[in-house]
Amino acid sequence: MNATTPAHPQRTIRVALGERSYDIVIGPGLVDEVGPRIAALLPGARAAIVTDENVARLHLERLTLSLDAAGVEHRAIVLPAGETTKSYAGLTRVVEAIIEGRFERGDAVLAFGGGVIGDLAGFASAVVRRGMRFVQMPTSLLAQVDSSVGGKTGINSPQGKNLVGAFHQPTLVLADTALLDTLPPREFAAGYAEIVKYGLIDRPDFFEWLETNREDIFAGTDALIDAIAISCEAKAAVVAADETEQDSRALLNLGHTFGHALEKTVRYEASRLVHGEGVAIGICLAHRFCAARGLAPEEDARRVEAHFAAAGLPTRIQHIAGETPPIADLMDAIAQDKKVTRSALTFILTHGIGKAFIARNVDPADVGDFLAEELLP
Amino acid sequence: MNATTPAHPQRTIRVALGERSYDIVIGPGLVDEVGPRIAALLPGARAAIVTDENVARLHLERLTLSLDAAGVEHRAIVLPAGETTKSYAGLTRVVEAIIEGRFERGDAVLAFGGGVIGDLAGFASAVVRRGMRFVQMPTSLLAQVDSSVGGKTGINSPQGKNLVGAFHQPTLVLADTALLDTLPPREFAAGYAEIVKYGLIDRPDFFEWLETNREDIFAGTDALIDAIAISCEAKAAVVAADETEQDSRALLNLGHTFGHALEKTVRYEASRLVHGEGVAIGICLAHRFCAARGLAPEEDARRVEAHFAAAGLPTRIQHIAGETPPIADLMDAIAQDKKVTRSALTFILTHGIGKAFIARNVDPADVGDFLAEELLP
């Protein structure tokens, strides 16, 4: 971990995308720096803050104090918390509020919240006047390590999640790790699942480091800052190689085809399954599927499962509270996942820890058989 | 006109935008070629046709015959004709129909209609699954020379036109000039206003050629194909230099700040003023404004006005049917136009025919005084 393990509590990751390049700054207390940082990067720009009621109650005052101190004019659009906000109605509300505030192309939409707020505000910033500046302050661990890197923005369609959106890169991402102190433990663990994912894709050393440092990360020490920074770096590297997911970016979907299908079959009831938990189960399924087919060592599948379990995450379909989803429903949801090209199933499979690969012609019958074995009582 | 005046009835203009480059093909009968052309360019792709009731009634059968013959699977989404379709509700309808048809990223949205359909279908293709392929078959003269070149897509907000959208370049544009035979004369003339605009921006020879060939163009001879091709070429050159309108692309807005304000003050009532008519008046106002300030020869302003008048277009605010819009309303609409940067008025002004330039700090008081003179009885 030499090059990526620093001594300082604030770290900066550069996402290299030519003229769309930007910095992700990670560390405690960044909410107090947002004003001067926006003023320096976008002189004269105003800020349309998009946030939700929970984040606003806890942290909005500090944010606006920082903006005021730096002379950045602002206006806050406060939305109900929760996934239902990420809808056509939510988008319309944010877009119209931004227009009503007479924000211009050079002004910034400032997303201050978790993944829902980031995706929604990012999409709004992509479409108001065909594109405004976008600054992200992710407040959940999941958003800090995943949705705030890479420029994917969007809303849900009644027919499926994230089916409507845009690629729109931010100008700056500020991940204030101190804000994670107010995160419920279950959400922290769910975000951790995405951190583990980066080790499993192509960084076996990072996965090993996580096995050693998991407790420190959960305790919020500097190891947490390192884990977030390495995750952002890993995602940034993948995104830089394939910004609009024509090819290799699909690796980031490790565990996601199964995970999305599970989320769908429980109708996105957060009480039963949140996204990171679906990813944890999905990653374990992908590793067991590959182990059972002789593609990857059984030992690796066991190590992955043990690590998620130690982090308090579910690892099997049966761990989902309530009735187990029927295989037919899961298969139907898998077929509808947007990572489908010309009707062949695309999965991210693995040859073992740190050796994920894109498989473009997975036989649905094999997947069905595997799920049937998994669900044997 | 040597390099740009060909002998053949079909012409191809290449829009050079790096990996987003595409061809615009212009000529009669292209509706019968759409199937093989899509099949050749996007093998295996399906087509989601977006059209309106008028175009569908006149031409949809021929289009689908061509697609069928080439083995391109398709589905048509037929919308009410008119500007009100270019709304959040229209967008939602098109997006949901595309998703419901299980179209994928590599499939094409095929816009078959005028500017409203092109802008709406283009925006839908930009946001479904964060970006699908987009093919345009513009059926109005305005769409063939303006909205189908350059990648601007979008819908109207209740607060203003085109305030929500995306830059999304098509894969192919097919401008079938035979379809213009069914266009009402008033719409043809309105489209012609945008053709004239290209001469006035930076092609004085083209303007001169239009002065000589206007009647042939209106008669639908090969001069029409040439006029459309040169217009597309002119717009493509501007777009290639500044795709997302950071700077010089604003030249394309010659006459549009006044034009948009006029459209807004008559509440977009097409019976009183259509877009191209607003542009014609707007261009004349810009030339007279500059002549009055000694920036451009009075003679040029007179020539421009005479040309529009000969084409049957309005050239003065008083030519708009019904009550003349009050200056206060016009000034308010001008201030709200989206070509505003940090609250300074940006206008496209001119030093004479073919010599337009961007003026970033026009004094609103000067504009108000000029409009008052214009509206003297």
Side-chain angles (χ1 to χ4, degrees):
Chain A
M1 305 310 305
N2 45 351
T4 43
T5 312
H8 308 297
Q10 197 173 84
R11 294 188 53 179
T12 300
I13 305 296
R14 182 80 178 162
V15 184
L17 293 166
E19 58 185 16
R20 291 185 301 287
S21 298
Y22 63 92
D23 284 340
I24 304 170
V25 187
I26 301 146
L30 283 164
V31 73
D32 302 317
E33 297 182 23
V34 62
R37 282 179 180 271
I38 289 181
L41 206 60
L42 303 170
R46 299 165 64 222
I49 305 163
V50 180
T51 188
D52 71 31
E53 288 162 0
N54 293 344
V55 175
R57 185 168 33 79
L58 292 166
H59 310 295
L60 184 58
E61 198 182 336
R62 266 178 74 193
L63 182 81
T64 57
L65 279 174
S66 171
L67 293 168
D68 286 337
V72 177
E73 274 184 59
H74 55 85
R75 171 175 178 153
I77 303 156
V78 183
L79 303 162
E83 188 78 27
T84 51
T85 293
K86 221 176 108 175
S87 61
Y88 289 109
L91 178 73
T92 306
R93 182 168 160 190
V94 173
V95 166
E96 291 299 313
I98 293 169
I99 295 170
E100 216 234 309
R102 300 214 174 181
F103 290 93
E104 299 170 6
R105 282 187 183 166
D107 290 326
V109 173
L110 172 53
F112 189 46
V116 165
I117 289 296
D119 287 1
L120 175 63
F123 191 28
S125 75
V127 301
V128 171
R129 298 170 192 272
R130 298 195 189 91
M132 296 175 56
R133 295 305 194 114
F134 178 39
V135 173
Q136 282 188 281
M137 284 221 66
T139 59
S140 72
L141 181 58
L142 182 65
Q144 292 189 355
V145 298
D146 179 26
S147 48
S148 69
V149 190
K152 279 192 180 178
T153 71
I155 56 172
N156 300 325
S157 150
Q159 300 181 67
K161 284 183 76 169
N162 297 317
L163 288 176
V164 188
F167 287 96
H168 188 59
Q169 302 296 343
T171 299
L172 176 67
V173 178
L174 300 174
D176 185 338
T177 51
L179 300 182
L180 303 179
D181 293 345
T182 55
L183 211 60
R186 192 177 157 208
E187 273 200 53
F188 189 94
Y192 183 71
E194 295 277 2
I195 292 178
V196 174
K197 184 188 75 177
Y198 298 113
L200 296 176
I201 290 174
D202 61 357
R203 303 198 173 206
D205 292 355
F206 181 46
F207 180 76
E208 229 169 89
W209 182 82
L210 291 172
E211 288 183 312
T212 309
N213 291 277
R214 181 183 46 75
E215 289 183 358
D216 283 349
I217 293 168
F218 275 69
T221 66
D222 283 0
L224 170 61
I225 299 173
D226 289 345
I228 295 170
I230 296 163
S231 297
C232 289
E233 202 170 67
K235 181 158 184 183
V238 174
V239 169
D242 177 23
E243 188 176 356
T244 58
E245 193 166 337
Q246 304 303 308
D247 186 43
S248 58
R249 182 166 175 163
L251 286 171
L252 296 174
N253 292 320
L254 175 63
H256 281 60
T257 299
F258 283 126
H260 285 154
L262 291 168
E263 285 183 88
K264 185 161 187 172
T265 51
V266 304
R267 295 168 189 217
Y268 303 102
E269 284 174 30
S271 61
R272 295 184 66 192
L273 191 75
V274 295
H275 177 67
E277 293 169 343
V279 169
I281 299 175
I283 288 175
C284 290
L285 288 172
H287 279 78
R288 284 199 296 272
F289 179 78
C290 294
R293 258 137 212 82
L295 290 168
E298 302 241 353
E299 169 57 18
D300 283 12
R302 275 192 296 271
R303 250 174 90 191
V304 171
E305 184 166 355
H307 189 68
F308 280 127
L313 284 158
T315 59
R316 295 183 173 264
I317 300 174
Q318 293 90 330
H319 294 165
I320 301 170
E323 215 177 322
T324 301
I327 291 176
D329 290 9
L330 280 169
M331 291 305 297
D332 196 51
I334 286 169
Q336 281 180 44
D337 194 76
K338 69 180 174 308
K339 283 166 285 304
V340 170
T341 305
R342 303 269 154 78
S343 306
L345 284 189
T346 295
F347 266 85
I348 310 308
L349 299 182
T350 186
H351 293 304
I353 286 165
K355 295 177 186 163
F357 66 96
I358 303 170
R360 301 214 179 272
N361 274 296
V362 174
D363 186 345
D366 281 356
V367 177
D369 290 350
F370 167 72
L371 290 175
E373 285 160 41
E374 282 281 315
L375 290 175
L376 284 178
Chain B
M1 305 309 306
N2 45 350
T4 43
T5 312
H8 308 296
Q10 198 174 82
R11 293 188 53 181
T12 300
I13 305 297
R14 182 82 179 160
V15 184
L17 293 167
E19 58 185 18
R20 290 185 302 287
S21 298
Y22 63 94
D23 283 342
I24 304 171
V25 188
I26 302 146
L30 283 165
V31 73
D32 302 318
E33 297 182 24
V34 62
R37 282 179 180 273
I38 288 180
L41 206 61
L42 303 170
R46 300 164 65 221
I49 305 162
V50 180
T51 188
D52 71 31
E53 288 162 0
N54 293 343
V55 174
R57 185 167 34 77
L58 293 165
H59 311 296
L60 183 57
E61 199 182 334
R62 266 177 75 193
L63 182 81
T64 57
L65 279 174
S66 171
L67 293 169
D68 286 337
V72 177
E73 273 184 60
H74 54 83
R75 171 174 178 154
I77 302 156
V78 182
L79 302 162
E83 188 77 27
T84 50
T85 293
K86 221 175 107 173
S87 61
Y88 289 109
L91 177 71
T92 304
R93 184 169 157 187
V94 173
V95 165
E96 290 299 313
I98 293 169
I99 294 170
E100 216 234 309
R102 298 215 176 181
F103 290 94
E104 299 170 6
R105 282 186 182 166
D107 290 326
V109 173
L110 173 52
F112 189 46
V116 165
I117 289 295
D119 287 1
L120 175 64
F123 190 28
S125 76
V127 301
V128 171
R129 296 170 193 273
R130 298 197 188 92
M132 296 176 56
R133 294 306 194 114
F134 178 39
V135 173
Q136 281 188 280
M137 284 221 66
T139 60
S140 73
L141 183 56
L142 182 66
Q144 291 188 356
V145 300
D146 179 27
S147 49
S148 70
V149 191
K152 279 192 181 180
T153 70
I155 57 172
N156 301 325
S157 148
Q159 300 182 66
K161 284 184 76 169
N162 297 318
L163 287 177
V164 188
F167 287 97
H168 189 59
Q169 302 295 344
T171 299
L172 175 68
V173 178
L174 300 174
D176 186 337
T177 51
L179 300 182
L180 303 179
D181 293 346
T182 55
L183 211 61
R186 190 177 158 209
E187 271 198 56
F188 189 95
Y192 183 71
E194 295 277 0
I195 293 178
V196 175
K197 184 188 74 177
Y198 298 114
L200 297 175
I201 290 174
D202 60 358
R203 302 195 173 209
D205 292 357
F206 181 48
F207 180 75
E208 231 170 86
W209 181 83
L210 290 172
E211 289 183 312
T212 310
N213 292 277
R214 181 182 47 75
E215 289 182 359
D216 283 349
I217 292 167
F218 275 68
T221 66
D222 284 358
L224 171 60
I225 300 173
D226 289 345
I228 295 171
I230 296 164
S231 297
C232 289
E233 203 168 66
K235 182 159 183 183
V238 174
V239 169
D242 176 22
E243 187 177 357
T244 57
E245 194 166 337
Q246 303 305 308
D247 186 44
S248 58
R249 182 167 176 161
L251 286 170
L252 297 173
N253 293 319
L254 175 63
H256 280 61
T257 299
F258 283 127
H260 285 155
L262 291 168
E263 285 183 87
K264 183 159 188 173
T265 51
V266 304
R267 294 170 192 218
Y268 304 101
E269 283 175 32
S271 62
R272 297 183 66 191
L273 191 74
V274 294
H275 176 70
E277 292 169 344
V279 169
I281 299 174
I283 288 175
C284 291
L285 288 173
H287 279 77
R288 285 200 296 272
F289 179 78
C290 293
R293 256 137 215 84
L295 290 168
E298 302 240 352
E299 169 58 18
D300 283 10
R302 276 194 295 270
R303 251 174 89 192
V304 170
E305 183 165 358
H307 188 69
F308 280 127
L313 283 158
T315 60
R316 292 182 176 266
I317 298 173
Q318 294 91 330
H319 295 166
I320 300 171
E323 215 178 320
T324 301
I327 292 176
D329 289 8
L330 280 170
M331 290 305 296
D332 196 49
I334 285 168
Q336 280 179 46
D337 193 76
K338 70 181 170 310
K339 284 166 285 302
V340 170
T341 305
R342 303 268 154 80
S343 307
L345 283 191
T346 295
F347 266 85
I348 311 306
L349 299 182
T350 185
H351 293 303
I353 286 166
K355 295 178 188 162
F357 66 96
I358 303 169
R360 301 213 178 273
N361 274 296
V362 175
D363 186 344
D366 280 356
V367 178
D369 290 350
F370 167 72
L371 290 175
E373 287 161 38
E374 282 282 313
L375 291 175
L376 286 179

